[in-house]
Amino acid sequence: MKPYIVAADIGTTSTKAVVVDADGGVRASLSVEYPLYTPAADRAEQDPDEIERAVAEAVRSCVAKAGIGPDDVRCVVFSSAMHSLIALDRDGAPLTRSITWADNRAASYVDVLRQQTDAHAIYAATGTPIHPMSPLLKLMWLREHEPELFGRAHRFVGIKEYVLGRWFPDAGHLVDHSIASATGLFSLRDRDWHGPALAAAGVDADRLPALVPTTHVLEGLLRAAAERLGLAPGTPVVVGASDGVLANVGAGAQAPDEFAVTIGTSGAVRAVVKEPRTDERGRTFCYALTDDRWVVGGAINNGGVLFRWVRDHLATKEAEEARAAGIDPYERLTELAQTAPAGSGGLVVLPLFAGERAPYWNADVRGVFFGLSLAHGKPHMIRAVLEGVGYAVRSVAEAVEAAAGKPSRIVASGGFARSPFWRQTIADILGAPLTVPDAIESSALGAAALGRVALGDWRDFEPARAWSAASHTHEPNPQTRAAYDELFAIYGELYPRLEGPFRHIVEFQKK
Ligand code: ADP
């Protein structure tokens, strides 16, 4: 059997490729970057052909870097960012750039959809929150703002469908159930396009790609494409899934009681579940992984970006001194935070600085330092910010628990995982042991695991656990935890009481 799987993750800033051997060893990895165009404040677009070239280059260069021959490649498999939308003409040529998840042009269509139809019922059927990232709302925007283009568009696809369509023109455009489940147009239970959502978007199913399982194998890779990819013609290509669901697999968080917690610039909590589940209060998303696994979770805007705010606006002097001494400012600031007690002496931060997605889905909220007294100083404020991000993560984790049950293990990733102190804080606030896997590119690794399942090498993802050995484990500290439980209860009181004042202060700020 050919030993290597090539996996590529088509992300927002770059495509990351890995070559993985039969034991999950990463033989080579690299990334190829591309621009994100922001011609206006509410736009975030990419050039589909630039991305197609980058994906081909990432695969080709990674195979070369691994020092393996094209004949050693068992299959290629893809992961991709969700929620992108590209309009294509009859010949498959793009009529628009790829409108990414970060594009906010459809913001006002959240309310339009709510007025026109039962938006909660659409969320409950599709698992995609009613949010401007959703292709459903982007289609509504296009139909009203670009009616001529909307009418002329033969098909609407996402970036992975576009790239694969270029290499397999005879297959037509195909979308895997996972990417489809993040469009707001796909019924999780029917595994088919959702009629009411299509009606709201104003498209028929024949203007969308054909649906296939994430394990679908494409045969007949064009010779010209194979050359650009550095592969043998006919190499099987597995369509793959979305980056979010595959990240769980790649990080070894593949049972309902294993929560993946990411805190990078933003943050997310996700768990794999055995049936599709949406939330009565609309707090969480649910996206497909395979035909019998789904991922429930929620994303927050206010993760590490808050610590960056502390570094750049609150503790500028300390950060400057650290830099001058050749120390990472974040390390210096976490040391300072530790001079304050757990719970920051009763200072609670509601970290909603940038508006919030899960669990509130409210752009018009802002941050709060609650409980400030004359006894509090900078260390308390810094620690309270790190704890506040933890409370936000816990509020999403509780929403995920409603679908997945209590976590018995937390798998951590993102920039925060570099800090032992912040890791321990999150373990204490969530009340479960937290581990950090060694694996770096978890979405690409998860894609490689999906490749094994698709080709029948594995029955399920269990063997992939061995790929993500944990390097650090933090047990929750019972003493600290008690303080955090008490403060989290107070945290929970703040948002519902502040909804009105939040609206007023945001109106003022927007004047
Ligand atoms: P991105 O989401 O942009 O990929 P990262 O995953 O690198 O970003 O996370 C960046 C964030 O991680 C920073 O804003 C900061 O909050 C946090 N971070 C980075 N390094 C450290 C560190 N040494 N200690 C604590 N937090 C850190």
Side-chain angles (χ1 to χ4, degrees):
M1 194 164 78
K2 298 179 179 186
Y4 298 105
I5 291 195
V6 183
D9 173 31
I10 309 171
T12 313
T13 52
S14 66
T15 286
K16 297 158 201 104
V18 296
V19 171
V20 182
D21 68 24
D23 303 318
V26 175
R27 172 129 180 168
S29 72
L30 57 78
S31 60
V32 176
E33 295 192 357
Y34 29 74
L36 181 71
Y37 298 101
T38 50
D42 62 351
R43 304 290 161 97
E45 307 173 334
Q46 292 182 311
D47 179 329
D49 290 314
E50 251 168 21
I51 301 216
E52 187 272 338
R53 284 193 295 273
V55 178
E57 188 191 328
V59 170
R60 185 181 61 245
S61 310
C62 203
V63 169
K65 187 174 172 186
I68 60 173
D71 289 331
D72 298 325
V73 176
R74 181 144 165 71
C75 75
V76 186
V77 50
F78 290 95
S79 159
S80 163
M82 294 174 272
H83 312 302
S84 60
L85 183 74
I86 310 167
L88 302 179
D89 71 12
R90 197 160 286 282
D91 303 320
L95 296 170
T96 60
R97 280 179 175 161
S98 174
I99 307 174
T100 70
W101 64 271
D103 192 290
N104 221 13
R105 75 185 68 184
S108 62
Y109 286 83
V110 171
D111 286 336
V112 174
L113 187 72
R114 288 198 178 123
Q115 283 150 16
Q116 285 180 358
T117 179
D118 184 347
H120 183 79
I122 289 186
Y123 154 74
T126 64
T128 307
I130 307 300
H131 182 272
M133 69 188 178
S134 170
L136 161 58
L137 299 184
K138 289 169 177 161
L139 285 167
M140 293 172 70
W141 182 95
L142 264 184
R143 188 168 50 149
E144 284 198 355
H145 288 78
E146 303 271 1
E148 189 274 330
L149 185 152
F150 184 86
R152 196 149 49 94
H154 179 66
R155 187 153 287 138
F156 299 98
V157 301
I159 188 63
K160 182 154 73 69
E161 296 81 87
Y162 178 75
V163 170
L164 292 177
R166 290 280 309 271
W167 302 339
F168 295 91
D170 295 343
H173 286 105
L174 302 178
V175 64
D176 69 74
H177 290 162
S178 178
I179 290 288
S181 69
T183 60
L185 302 166
F186 176 80
S187 163
L188 291 169
R189 286 183 193 278
D190 302 343
R191 280 194 209 113
D192 200 353
W193 298 116
H194 184 56
L198 265 53
V203 296
D204 295 326
D206 61 9
R207 294 174 86 190
L208 298 172
L211 293 158
V212 291
T214 54
T215 50
H216 182 77
V217 182
L218 286 158
E219 310 274 357
L221 179 63
L222 288 185
R223 176 168 291 277
E227 260 169 38
R228 291 180 55 230
L229 289 158
L231 300 171
T235 304
V237 173
V238 178
V239 287
S242 74
D243 53 3
V245 301
L246 289 172
N248 270 62
V249 175
Q254 43 170 284
D257 64 343
E258 300 170 312
F259 285 19
V261 169
T262 307
I263 307 176
T265 299
S266 56
V269 180
R270 297 181 312 265
V272 174
V273 292
K274 294 177 181 168
E275 54 181 82
R277 292 289 288 275
T278 51
D279 187 60
E280 258 172 37
R281 289 153 62 189
R283 292 171 298 175
T284 46
F285 58 71
C286 180
Y287 300 135
L289 168 58
T290 57
D291 280 354
D292 58 6
R293 290 290 182 279
W294 291 260
V295 171
V296 168
I300 59 171
N301 292 343
N302 301 287
V305 67
L306 258 73
F307 200 19
R308 195 164 72 207
W309 174 84
V310 165
R311 186 193 67 186
D312 297 343
H313 296 282
L314 185 66
T316 33
K317 188 166 73 68
E318 291 79 356
E320 209 42 65
E321 283 165 8
R323 277 191 205 97
I327 302 167
D328 176 355
Y330 288 128
E331 267 172 40
R332 177 74 196 95
L333 298 181
T334 35
E335 274 168 25
L336 198 57
Q338 287 173 75
T339 65
S344 306
L347 180 60
V348 174
V349 167
L350 197 59
L352 312 179
F353 288 36
E356 196 47 291
R357 286 182 278 171
Y360 311 120
W361 297 98
N362 186 349
D364 292 340
V365 290
R366 293 294 181 264
V368 177
F369 278 84
F370 182 71
L372 263 179
S373 78
L374 294 172
H376 291 123
K378 213 179 263 184
H380 298 88
M381 295 179 76
I382 299 171
R383 184 166 187 146
V385 165
L386 302 180
E387 291 171 346
V389 173
Y391 299 142
V393 166
R394 180 161 165 185
S395 67
V396 179
E398 286 192 342
V400 174
E401 274 175 35
K406 286 241 176 265
S408 62
R409 195 165 80 90
I410 307 290
V411 180
S413 62
F416 96 105
R418 269 174 245 155
S419 161
F421 170 67
W422 207 356
R423 292 198 302 260
Q424 182 65 48
T425 305
I426 299 295
D428 293 347
I429 290 176
L430 295 179
L434 177 148
T435 60
V436 184
D438 283 331
I440 21 147
E441 306 295 1
S442 47
S443 295
L445 268 189
L450 182 68
R452 291 272 170 221
V453 172
L455 297 184
D457 298 352
W458 295 352
R459 280 200 2 246
D460 55 30
F461 296 118
E462 271 312 303
R465 281 186 188 283
W467 293 9
S468 49
S471 55
H472 311 277
T473 300
H474 297 261
E475 291 296 331
N477 170 343
Q479 274 151 17
T480 338
R481 169 143 176 76
Y484 289 142
D485 276 346
E486 233 178 288
L487 292 171
F488 182 66
I490 297 169
Y491 176 93
E493 289 182 77
L494 295 177
Y495 175 81
R497 284 176 172 71
L498 289 175
E499 266 181 289
F502 276 142
R503 230 181 4 259
H504 302 150
I505 201 70
V506 171
E507 270 166 25
F508 181 89
Q509 290 179 357
K510 283 180 179 166
K511 265 199 271 200

